[in-house]
Amino acid sequence: MRFPAEPFRIKVVEPLKPTTREERTARLEEAGMNLFKVPADTIYIDLLTDSGTSAMSDRQWAALMVGDESYAGSRSFYRFESVIRDLFGYKHVIPTHQGRMAENLLFNAIVTPGAIVPNNIHFDTTRANAEQAGAKALDLVVPEGLDPSHRGLFKGNMDVPRLDRVLAENKGKVPVVMLTITNNSGGGQPVSFANARATADVCRKHKVPLFFDACRFAENCWFIQQREAGWSGKPVRQIAQELFALGDGCTMSAKKDGLVNIGGFLAMNDSQWAEKITQRLILVEGFSTYGGLAGRDLEAIAQGLTEVTDEHYLEFRIGQVRRLAEQLMDAGVPIIQPPGGHAVYLDARAIAPHIPPSQFPGQAIAVALYRDYGIRGVEIGSLMFGGPDPATGEEVVPALELVRLAIPRRVYTEAQLAYVGDSVIEVHRGATALKGLRITHGAPFLRHFTAALEEVPAAVPA
Ligand SMILES: Cc1ncc(COP(=O)(O)O)c(C=O)c1O
């Protein structure tokens, strides 16, 4: 079957309140055309993020009931630890309330001023945490990883010769190399096993530890099984175990492939690092057997990690993203190629070429999707990454203007995603009528979260 059907049935439903175009127009005006500020219950299909938005299974809900809330030595921690040790293979397991705290603890323990932390592409919290600890965060993805029309199968790969050079030229300055699987900031593109092995070999040659940013490890391992010679037929779980065995540790936001709404962890082999991090953990998160989570959260993560490598689930999950992408491609809607594991990215510059980057073409499309169809995506372009350079004051124009439609795990049915596809196709058809936007109120940092905007009246043709 080209697109597998849902490998689950629905036991609990969350009713969605229908809203009219007029109501949504009013909410948009109140929100200053900023989709982070519209009330979520006015949204029919929310594709803002795949993080923390998964539907838990009946077994995860049941696991909550057996959560052990003991402050120290909780039974739930030991289950959590044993599931993670079995899958990831690392000796020390440190729970955190989400992925960015794992990053914060790791970098603050090992980064010294002037350090360099390479990655294929740092996710924004990873970059920010490395930099606040005093490091330079370096992106070393292969060149095709930055080309939206390139149809490479492993566009998340590390540029290993470049990494080798960086490590040779900066001896003693690189405390860790990170490898993000899948590469979220590069469109959810996977890293091949061969590339992870080559990265690990170079790290070993230079005696630098390798850590995975493992948020979407199961989706990455599914792509390895499906696309990489020598891996078809191997269980995804085994691929994951072999992949993690190449490294020395990982950071993880369980809000993605942990199939939960909150949680994360750090795992590693180095006992000195683990001890230093645990001391800080107790200061800022909580005792080492809960680290900022409830016992029931630890249970839900342990159960989620045992479910996420189920291949019927992964086949459906990745198939659902691909089906939406193919519906759009068949109708001529320009998207980033090939579709990644967790989202479809619309190429806003190609959809609305009449709107200059300074008038946020991606935001114009995102606004139209919400106003006309009740769908929320997120602009990843000039609104998110543009603005005046703090050093020079010059306007920064990012390479790409995108709208990301991130698909929450096990949440929406195929009919709902077909509705998303039809709606995007309609917005694309009517794109020449879309109006650009201008900022009426903006914050100096991370302005996309709080900025207020208004539509710019269409230019009257001469
Ligand atoms: C690749 C990657 N790393 C780290 C994080 C941070 O995780 P969290 O949101 O749990 O702090 C994210 C979240 O989206 C991510 O995609």
Side-chain angles (χ1 to χ4, degrees):
M1 208 184 290
R2 212 158 80 84
F3 293 114
E6 287 81 353
F8 48 80
R9 57 184 173 183
I10 295 167
K11 192 177 282 194
V12 175
V13 294
E14 179 183 352
L16 295 170
K17 187 178 75 168
T19 51
T20 62
R21 188 176 191 281
E22 288 63 42
E23 284 172 73
R24 294 192 298 267
T25 304
R27 295 296 88 76
L28 260 180
E29 263 154 36
E30 286 157 15
M33 300 288 170
N34 186 334
L35 295 168
F36 283 97
K37 297 205 281 184
V38 299
D41 66 1
T42 64
I43 294 164
Y44 175 45
I45 300 193
D46 198 352
L47 307 182
L48 180 65
T49 177
D50 67 318
S51 177
T53 52
S54 302
M56 293 209 297
S57 68
D58 53 356
R59 279 161 206 244
Q60 284 177 292
W61 284 105
L64 298 183
M65 285 304 296
V66 295
D68 173 1
E69 304 305 340
S70 303
Y71 186 97
S74 156
R75 182 182 62 236
S76 301
F77 172 74
Y78 294 117
R79 178 176 178 213
F80 173 84
E81 183 187 54
S82 107
V83 166
I84 292 168
R85 275 197 184 140
D86 177 56
L87 184 56
F88 294 74
Y90 305 125
K91 206 157 125 199
H92 304 283
V93 176
I94 301 170
T96 60
H97 79 276
Q98 59 183 83
R100 66 198 69 187
M101 182 49 94
E103 295 159 0
N104 185 286
L105 290 166
L106 175 68
F107 295 136
N108 280 317
I110 66 172
V111 162
T112 46
I116 295 173
V117 177
N119 202 330
N120 42 358
I121 302 187
H122 286 273
F123 179 67
D124 53 15
T125 61
T126 324
R127 168 177 298 280
N129 272 306
E131 288 177 351
Q132 65 75 39
K136 181 169 181 217
L138 211 59
D139 292 339
L140 296 178
V141 74
V142 287
E144 63 265 31
L146 299 174
D147 175 356
S149 59
H150 192 288
R151 286 178 180 256
L153 297 179
F154 289 103
K155 287 169 68 176
N157 280 353
M158 180 76 90
D159 186 335
V160 177
R162 263 178 86 203
L163 176 67
D164 194 13
R165 275 199 305 280
V166 166
L167 296 184
E169 286 163 10
N170 295 282
K171 284 207 181 312
K173 281 199 195 163
V174 182
V176 70
V177 169
M178 303 286 302
L179 190 60
T180 304
I181 55 171
T182 58
N183 183 23
N184 183 10
S185 306
Q189 302 292 333
V191 173
S192 72
F193 197 97
N195 182 262
R197 185 185 280 135
T199 303
D201 287 347
V202 163
C203 287
R204 203 164 308 114
K205 177 172 127 192
H206 294 282
K207 299 194 172 50
V208 175
L210 171 65
F211 269 52
F212 291 95
D213 178 339
C215 300
R216 299 179 179 82
F217 75 95
E219 292 168 7
N220 198 101
C221 291
W222 170 258
F223 281 121
I224 289 174
Q225 190 206 58
Q226 296 295 305
R227 296 181 177 175
E228 191 167 351
W231 294 94
S232 80
K234 279 222 177 161
V236 165
R237 194 173 180 81
Q238 189 187 331
I239 299 174
Q241 287 163 327
E242 291 188 35
L243 190 70
F244 290 126
L246 298 171
D248 303 282
C250 70
T251 57
M252 172 87 186
S253 166
K255 297 170 72 174
K256 288 83 170 171
D257 275 352
L259 297 177
V260 291
N261 308 115
I262 196 72
F265 59 88
L266 260 167
M268 68 195 68
N269 287 330
D270 189 301
S271 300
Q272 279 179 352
W273 283 11
E275 194 182 331
K276 196 168 171 197
I277 289 169
T278 303
Q279 282 163 9
R280 177 88 191 149
L281 179 88
I282 294 170
L283 191 66
V284 296
E285 283 275 85
F287 188 63
S288 55
T289 57
Y290 71 87
L293 293 169
R296 54 180 168 272
D297 296 325
L298 299 171
E299 290 281 349
I301 296 170
Q303 182 60 31
L305 288 172
T306 58
E307 291 175 12
V308 77
T309 50
D310 178 292
E311 298 185 12
H312 297 298
Y313 156 73
L314 284 167
E315 187 183 25
F316 165 72
R317 157 87 182 143
I318 307 285
Q320 199 178 35
V321 175
R322 202 182 61 213
R323 190 200 303 240
L324 174 61
E326 290 193 7
Q327 186 187 351
L328 298 180
M329 286 188 284
D330 289 349
V333 179
I335 64 166
I336 298 276
Q337 297 291 349
H342 67 290
V344 173
Y345 293 72
L346 309 179
D347 183 347
R349 197 168 280 169
I351 294 174
H354 62 292
I355 303 179
S358 58
Q359 292 183 9
F360 313 120
Q363 188 67 8
I365 293 167
V367 162
L369 274 171
Y370 170 73
R371 182 164 47 203
D372 295 340
Y373 302 102
I375 296 165
R376 174 160 68 173
V378 63
E379 189 260 14
I380 302 187
S382 286
L383 182 58
M384 189 177 274
F385 293 127
D389 183 312
T392 63
E394 269 175 42
E395 201 59 24
V396 175
V397 180
L400 299 171
E401 298 288 344
L402 305 174
V403 178
R404 186 183 75 175
L405 305 175
I407 315 297
R409 296 167 181 79
R410 306 192 292 207
V411 171
Y412 292 116
T413 63
E414 280 309 304
Q416 286 170 319
L417 286 192
Y419 169 83
V420 172
D422 290 344
S423 306
V424 174
I425 291 167
E426 284 307 314
V427 170
H428 177 232
R429 271 202 197 115
T432 50
L434 292 175
K435 292 187 186 136
L437 297 149
R438 66 175 157 235
I439 294 181
T440 55
H441 170 81
F445 302 108
L446 296 173
R447 64 180 183 180
H448 56 288
F449 287 127
T450 54
L453 302 102
E454 66 182 10
E455 280 183 331
V456 178
V460 182

